[in-house]
Amino acid sequence: MPVRLRKLIGTILIIILVITYALAAVTFASLLLGASPWWVHLLYFFFTGLLWILPAMLIIKWMEKPASR
């Protein structure tokens, strides 16, 4: 697969990942953390704010592979 096509697909996947993950994280927080103290919200959004990086790193690693010959 050409590098430019792989980067285009990877970029689209990362955009979809971020949007879907953000919606899921906020929905989960609003359903389950409504009556929790402020520090629980802070910890939740701190960890969920960092957690999306793991699948994004895998996509970026795939995007940066050299072109197959």
Side-chain angles (χ1 to χ4, degrees), residues 37-59:
W38 66 270
W39 58 271
V40 174
H41 288 258
L42 181 68
L43 289 174
Y44 172 78
F45 283 109
F46 177 75
F47 287 115
T48 56
L50 293 176
L51 193 60
W52 70 273
I53 295 173
L54 297 174
M57 283 189 328
L58 294 174
I59 294 172

